[in-house]
Amino acid sequence: MQSSGPSAARPHHRPFLALGLRLLSAGMLATMLMMVKLSGEHGVALPETMFWRQFVPALTLLGWLAARGELHRVKTARPRLHAQRALIGTSAMFLTLGVVQLMPLAEATVLSFTAPIFAVILSVALLGEKVGRWRLGAVLLGLAGVIAIAGPDSDNLSPLGLAVGLGAAFGVALVSIQVRQMARTEEPICVVFWFSTAGAAMLSLLLPFYVSSHDAYEWALIGGIGLTGLLGQLLLTAALRYGNVSSVIVMDYSQIGWATLWGWLIFGQLPPDALWIGGPLIVAAGLIIARREQVLHRRPPIDPQSAPNAD
C-alpha cells in the first residue's frame, strides 16, 4: 500500500536542500550585481552589460535543450504574451541593474525587497484580489521602511537612484504578476528561454551605439555577470523543486549581507544608520506577506461572501 502522507504527495520535498540552494542563489545574484556596478565603473555601458546578461542564458539553454533533444519544450502558442513579458521584464532589468550604478549596493538591495509590497498592490489593481488587515499592514510597514531610508539621514543617496530603485521593484512585481498568469499554460523553462532570447534580440539593436573594446579584465567581468546571473536563476529554480516559495524566500534576504560585504570590500561603502532602521521594516513586511501567502494557500476554498476579510 502506498503512503498517503506528505512525502508521497511531494517525493522531492527536501526543505533543507531547498534552503541551501536558495541561499547559494542569493549569493550568486548579489555577486552579479556587484560585478554590474564594477563593470560600470570600468566604462562598460549598461545596455551592453544587459545584452550579455540575456545572451548567455539564452545560448546556454538552447544548447542544453538541443543536446537533450528537447527543443519542443520552448514551443509556445502565446508569442504575444512572451513579447509583452520580454518588454516589461527587460525594462525592469534595466532599472534593477541600473540602480546599483547609482546607489551603494546595500541600499539598492534593500529597495529591491519592496517588490512584494508592490505585488500586493498590483494584485488588487490587476487581479482583483482581496487584501485584508495582515497584508495591508505589511504594505504600510514596508512603506514606513522606505520613508526611513529616504529620510533626513539620506544625504548620501541619489534621489534619482531612490526613484530608480523603487521603479525596479515595481517592475519586478509587475513581472511576477505576468509570470503568475503565464504559468497557467507555459512551462517555466519556456518562459525563461523566450525572455532571455527576446531580451537579447531587443538589446542587440542598441549594441552599435554602446559596444566598445574591452581588456581581459572587463571581458572577465562581462562573462562573470552572465555566468552568475545564469547560476543564480538555475539555483533559484532548483530550490523551488525541493521547497515551497513561501518557505525558501527568507533566504533571499541574505542578499543584504552579501551586498554589505561587497560594498565594504570592493567599494569601501558602509550602510548609513537609516538603512538599519528602514531595512528591517522592509524585510519584515516581505516576510509577513510571504507568511500570509503560505497560510492562505493552505486554507480550503470558502465562500467569499460569508468569510471575514482577514488575510
Side-chain angles (χ1 to χ4, degrees), residues 73-119:
R73 295 176 65 183
V74 299
K75 290 183 179 179
T76 179
R78 309 180 73 181
R80 174 181 286 186
L81 197 58
H82 282 283
Q84 292 175 350
R85 189 269 190 259
L87 181 61
I88 296 175
T90 302
S91 301
M93 181 180 290
F94 178 80
L95 297 175
T96 300
L97 300 186
V99 69
V100 301
Q101 297 185 359
L102 296 171
M103 298 179 68
L105 278 174
E107 285 90 325
T109 301
V110 169
L111 287 178
S112 73
F113 292 126
T114 59
I117 299 169
F118 287 117

